[in-house]
Structure formats: C-alpha cells, structure tokens
C-alpha cells in the first residue's frame, strides 16, 4: 500500500491517463532510469487541468530538475511563459537541452541558483507559482511567493504530505523530522492565511492548491 493512496487506486487512475506527447513520455522514462524525481502522472494530469481551466498563462516554478514539469505546463498553456529556478547546474543543463528539444526556448527561462536568494530578484507577477524544490524551504519562500502571485492566482505546493510523514508521526524517519515539522508549519500557515483559500489533495505525494483572494 502507498503512503498517500492505496496502490490499486493509484494504478487504476494512472492507467486512465493518456500522454499524447512522445517527448514527455521519453522524459518520464529517462527520469525513471536515472532516478530523477518528477511530478507523479496523476499530479501532471491534475495540474494540466487546473492550468487549462484557469486560463493560466504565466508560471513561476521552484525546482526545475530536467525541465519535465515546465514542458508539461507549456503543453497545457497556449504560448504561456514559465520562469523556473534550479540550484543544480547539471540539472539546469539537462533542462535546457530538453526545453530546446521540446521547442520551448522562447517560453521557458531557467534561472540557476538557490531559490531562497534568487527568487527575491524576480520581478513582475505570475498567474501561478509551483513549489517543487527543497521541501523544508516552502515556509521560507511563502512571503515572496505571495508578492509574486497575482490576486486570483494559484499557489501549488507539491509533496506536502511527504510520504505520509506529515500526517502520521509513526511514519516519520528520524532524519526527516525537520522537513516534516517545517511542512506541518507551512500547511498550518497556508490553510489559515488571510490572503489564501487552500485545499490539500491526497494525490501523488500530496498537493496543496491555494487560491490568492482578490481582496
Ligand atoms: C522534485 S525535483 C523537481 C521536479 C520537477 N519540478 C518536475 O516535476 O519535473 C526538485 C528539484 O529542486 C531542486 N532544488 C532543491 N533545492 C533547491 C533550491 N534551494 N533552489 C532551487 N532548486 C532547488 C533540486 O536540485 C531538484 O532538481
């Protein structure tokens, strides 16, 4: 049994997902073979629906890895823009190669650096912010993310249930205690924040969807 959903449910849902983009399929295989963590298939599907149905045109992402989710987001938008931050130079290079092959050079900008610092240099406002970098840092990024998110925009946070550990002390591994504590704090803050309406969805590793209120 999975820690967030039961395997049979997860497998059933995954089997219903049709990926039409053969390059995205290739990246899914690459990430499996090279142990690169990317968004789960059901999360990909969920976020694609959110992006399409909300008419999202600009996304700020923390955690590029090989560029998989940035490419998926561009597929869901019609000529949209993604600014994505990655701390690891090798990952950034791999992402740039993939973005080029996907034909999204003009749509995706990859910024190399620690999101905790470089996010403060980003100007403008985005329709959507996707947090998928270091799990213990979401709480530190929140204030800046709220400044960079348009009113009516959506903050999406991945892995918020962190293999079930966030919801159940018995699952917490000793070396993960700090991440779990910070994630619990983060969830408390975004679920009670006066500017946000948040829903926590138990798919993948847990996804939080926070709508930034307009007034
Ligand atoms: C789960 S992976 C991102 C997966 C990607 N969003 C996808 O689904 O295709 C997390 C990435 O965040 C990067 N990362 C970790 N800490 C970071 C930080 N402080 N600033 C920027 N990136 C960071 C890691 O190097 C890793 O590539």
């Amino acid at each position: 049994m999975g820690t967030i959903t039961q395997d049979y449910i997860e497998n059933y849902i995954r089997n219903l997902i049709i990926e039409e983009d053969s390059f995205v399929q290739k990246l899914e295989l690459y990430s499996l073979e090279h142990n690169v963590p990317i968004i789960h298939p059901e999360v990909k599907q969920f976020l694609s629906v959110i992006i399409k149905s909300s008419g999202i045109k600009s996304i700020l992402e923390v955690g590029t890895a090989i560029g998989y989710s940035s490419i998926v987001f561009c597929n869901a938008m019609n000529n949209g823009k993604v600014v994505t931050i990655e701390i690891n130079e090798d990952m950034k290079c791999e992402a740039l190669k993939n973005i080029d092959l996907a034909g999204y050079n003009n749509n995706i900008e990859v910024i190399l650096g620690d999101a905790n610092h470089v996010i403060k240099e980003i100007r403008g406002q985005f329709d959507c912010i996707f947090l998928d970098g270091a799990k213990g840092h979401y709480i530190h990024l929140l204030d800046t993310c709220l400044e960079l998110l348009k009113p009516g925009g959506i903050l999406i946070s991945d892995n918020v249930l962190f293999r079930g550990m966030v919801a159940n002390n018995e699952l917490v591994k000793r070396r993960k205690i700090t991440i779990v504590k910070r994630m619990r704090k983060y969830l408390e803050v975004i679920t009670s924040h006066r500017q946000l309406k948040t829903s926590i969805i138990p798919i993948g590793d847990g996804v939080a969807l926070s709508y930034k209120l307009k007034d």
Side-chain angles (χ1 to χ4, degrees):
M1 198 175 91
T3 47
I4 306 291
T5 39
Q6 297 190 336
D7 285 346
Y8 78 97
I9 299 280
E10 199 168 86
N11 291 335
Y12 180 74
I13 294 173
R14 283 185 184 181
N15 282 330
L16 289 172
I17 297 170
I18 300 162
E19 180 53 70
E20 281 162 356
D21 184 332
S22 60
F23 186 61
V24 167
Q25 285 174 5
K26 220 171 126 182
L27 292 182
E28 287 169 359
L29 214 61
Y30 176 94
S31 78
L32 209 65
E33 283 166 359
H34 294 81
N35 242 332
V36 179
I38 57 169
I39 47 170
H40 295 215
E42 60 278 17
V43 174
K44 169 186 74 171
Q45 201 66 10
F46 177 66
L47 298 188
S48 298
V49 172
I50 294 287
I51 289 167
K52 277 187 183 295
S53 58
S54 311
I56 287 168
K57 288 273 175 247
S58 58
I59 300 175
L60 170 64
E61 173 182 62
V62 174
T64 316
I66 58 169
Y68 171 80
S69 48
S70 297
I71 291 167
V72 164
F73 296 160
C74 280
N75 281 352
M77 294 187 283
N78 186 9
N79 203 19
K81 290 270 179 216
V82 177
V83 174
T84 179
I85 306 171
E86 175 54 52
I87 198 168
N88 180 313
E89 199 160 2
D90 293 340
M91 285 288 187
K92 184 196 169 183
C93 289
E94 199 59 41
L96 287 178
K97 261 196 295 184
N98 290 328
I99 289 163
D100 187 37
L101 288 169
Y104 286 133
N105 275 331
N106 294 328
N107 302 86
I108 303 173
E109 179 191 355
V110 185
I111 298 175
L112 179 66
D114 182 343
N116 292 297
H117 305 301
V118 297
I119 200 168
K120 298 195 176 99
E121 283 147 36
I122 293 174
R123 300 285 166 257
Q125 282 199 313
F126 296 82
D127 296 332
C128 175
I129 299 183
F130 180 55
L131 290 183
D132 195 21
K135 310 309 158 203
H137 290 165
Y138 290 9
I139 186 78
H140 307 133
L141 294 169
L142 183 62
D143 286 347
T144 313
C145 283
L146 286 178
E147 284 169 24
L148 291 169
L149 188 63
K150 284 181 190 167
I154 297 169
L155 169 67
I156 301 169
S157 318
D158 200 14
N159 309 97
V160 294
L161 296 175
F162 201 43
R163 295 170 227 159
M165 287 185 246
V166 169
N168 185 350
N169 274 336
E170 285 175 20
L171 297 173
V172 179
K173 305 239 169 35
R174 255 184 106 73
R175 62 182 194 287
K176 303 289 184 194
I177 286 176
T178 305
I179 296 178
V180 170
K181 279 189 182 160
R182 286 183 184 170
M183 194 58 94
R184 284 180 183 159
K185 180 77 198 158
Y186 177 72
L187 291 179
E188 277 167 32
V189 172
I190 61 171
T191 50
S192 60
H193 200 287
R194 62 177 177 79
Q195 285 183 287
L196 297 174
K197 191 82 186 161
T198 293
S199 172
I200 300 168
I201 300 131
I203 57 167
D205 196 26
V207 176
L209 208 61
S210 308
Y211 173 78
K212 183 175 171 185
L213 301 169
K214 289 186 177 161
D215 43 38

